[in-house]
Amino acid sequence: PGVMAPRTRACFAPVVRVALLLPLSGNNAALGRALLDAAQLALFDIGDQGLVLLPRDTGGTSEGAGSAAEAVLSAGATLILGPLFAAEAGAVTRRARARGVPVISFSNDRAVTQVGAYMFGIAPQSQVERILGYARSRGLSRYAALLPNNLFGATVEETMRATIPRLGAELVAIERYDPTASDVSPVVRRLVGAEVARRAVAREPRRGGGTSPVVQATSDAEVAFDAVFLPDAAERVLNTAPVLSYYDVDPARVRYLGTALWDDPRVGREPALVGAWFTAPPPENRSDFARRYRETYGRDPPRLATLAYDAVALAAVLARGPRGADFSDRALTSPSGCEGRDGIFRLRQDGMIERGLAVLEVRREGFRTLSPAPTTFQELTR
């Protein structure tokens, strides 16, 4: 579908141009176009005749993002939404901030943040703090983690090491894996074996005499953690969870924990993940958006589509302030924040974002909310 006409207002209203930088070509073109569709839906719902959206293709590259930024700045954009990836953000931010134009990136990488350049993705830090805080409130105190060996995994580990001692809990073990590897069994054996070896070590004859320690099966000695954190995407977790279960990390005794990357209906089809907990935006906020997106475009929205909807909705609200459009840092970082399709959120002056997240339980028939997302920022900061 083409761009839908927004609701109108007086014809003499000044035009407010907001740029939307997305990968509309290249490997992520389908995702970029889905975000553009969501943005147009927000424009129809909340925008008016004075707000003009300027979509531009970044191609998913830094060079393409830089060219797109130059184009929209020349066209008079006073706010830039996007790009999608952290690798693109630097090229956009340098150009935009030189002109005094703020940027709201859809990335969840804190590296994109600075004064006037905001992260709009769901930050790993807030997800880790939310799920670990909930798990601790339910009596879990010994944590292990399997983390991808990349920047995301490093961010999760840093946050775990800062959060767990503050909760009065213990980080027992961390193992890292190559996110491109097809077999995680060696990594799982290290995670499980290192803990079992503390309690039960068998010995077998070794060539040349003597003995060498051999770890017994975990059925002979329990692992030394009561929760294992698997923050990776659903595709990876669906491969990892059965391997953990095979090595007797029993989901009936060890709670599997995850992040918003688990917000995928396939997760409930894996028996080892039934009963697991993960954090995500409140599903009730998203359900109406998903229904309307399907009715409008004839397909389900990807998980990230709500980012584009909420960003355009925020721009639309600020565009019709009592004194006209106000995209100043003061307006963008208003302490009152907003409630969007992904729950409450507010931008901070350092470029980070605060979000209210729920805790969900994986069930065979879907997800069940265990701990609702905060509805006020007073609840969020308790």
Side-chain angles (χ1 to χ4, degrees):
V3 176
M4 293 176 287
R7 290 180 292 180
T8 59
R9 66 175 180 178
C11 60
F12 54 79
V15 172
V16 179
R17 294 178 174 84
V18 173
L20 181 64
L21 307 187
L22 294 169
L24 303 177
S25 63
N27 294 337
N28 293 284
L31 178 58
R33 293 186 181 279
L35 266 65
L36 176 57
D37 288 342
Q40 292 171 354
L41 201 57
L43 193 65
F44 179 82
D45 288 347
I46 303 170
D48 55 36
Q49 194 173 17
L51 179 62
V52 175
L53 204 58
L54 304 176
R56 292 293 186 276
D57 180 21
T58 68
T61 68
S62 177
E63 295 78 8
S67 298
E70 290 284 2
V72 295
L73 290 168
S74 297
T78 52
L79 173 67
I80 293 178
L81 307 179
L84 181 56
F85 303 113
E88 304 172 283
V92 173
T93 299
R94 284 194 301 274
R95 292 166 170 83
R97 297 309 292 151
R99 310 263 192 104
V101 174
V103 177
I104 299 177
S105 168
F106 298 130
S107 171
N108 67 353
D109 186 344
R110 68 166 60 172
V112 307
T113 63
Q114 57 177 276
V115 175
Y118 305 94
M119 172 205 300
F120 206 67
I122 304 174
Q125 294 88 343
S126 58
Q127 297 180 62
V128 173
E129 291 169 357
R130 176 69 164 114
I131 190 63
L132 292 182
Y134 178 78
R136 186 71 185 97
S137 74
R138 296 293 298 271
L140 304 181
S141 61
R142 301 172 300 160
Y143 298 91
L146 282 174
L147 306 179
N149 192 17
N150 55 21
L151 180 60
F152 173 74
T155 300
V156 169
E157 179 176 351
E158 178 186 358
T159 308
M160 289 187 75
R161 292 191 182 280
T163 303
I164 288 175
R166 190 168 67 243
L167 295 172
E170 180 185 4
L171 181 57
V172 173
I174 286 181
E175 290 292 342
R176 302 162 193 81
Y177 55 84
D178 179 354
T180 66
S182 59
D183 182 12
V184 296
S185 297
V187 181
V188 171
R189 284 197 299 268
R190 289 200 302 270
L191 184 81
V192 174
E195 301 312 312
V196 175
R198 294 181 181 180
R199 304 179 185 188
V201 175
R203 294 187 176 274
E204 66 177 12
R206 186 171 55 184
R207 289 184 183 179
T211 59
S212 60
V214 176
V215 178
Q216 290 181 335
T218 55
S219 57
D220 294 332
E222 292 183 11
V223 294
F225 45 86
D226 46 29
V228 58
F229 194 29
L230 309 172
D232 211 343
E235 293 82 357
R236 171 60 63 178
V237 173
L238 286 169
N239 290 330
T240 304
V243 179
L244 281 162
S245 181
Y246 177 80
Y247 285 103
D248 291 335
V249 181
D250 183 356
R253 294 186 295 176
V254 176
R255 187 71 62 177
Y256 291 23
L257 306 176
T259 64
L261 294 172
W262 287 24
D263 194 0
D264 184 314
R266 293 174 297 170
V267 168
R269 301 171 194 165
E270 168 50 50
L273 291 174
V274 173
W277 301 338
F278 70 99
T279 187
E284 60 274 13
N285 287 52
R286 178 183 169 82
S287 58
D288 180 62
F289 164 79
R291 176 187 58 78
R292 293 197 58 249
Y293 188 100
R294 283 192 297 271
E295 291 173 353
T296 304
Y297 300 113
R299 62 184 184 277
D300 289 330
R303 183 65 195 84
L304 296 180
T306 43
L307 296 180
Y309 185 100
D310 283 352
V312 171
L314 173 63
V317 170
L318 295 179
R320 56 171 186 255
R323 298 183 180 179
D326 184 2
F327 300 136
S328 66
D329 293 341
R330 178 193 57 78
L332 287 167
T333 61
S334 170
S336 59
C338 296
E339 180 169 4
R341 299 300 188 176
D342 280 330
I344 61 170
F345 67 88
R346 62 181 175 188
L347 300 174
R348 298 193 330 207
Q349 291 186 350
D350 62 0
M352 295 289 285
I353 187 169
E354 296 177 358
R355 290 186 176 275
L357 299 174
V359 175
L360 309 179
E361 182 180 48
V362 179
R363 307 292 290 269
R364 287 185 177 85
E365 65 277 10
F367 303 137
R368 179 171 72 100
T369 299
L370 294 177
S371 177
T375 57
T376 69
F377 289 101
Q378 289 75 17
E379 293 178 80
L380 186 61
T381 54
R382 284 176 187 168

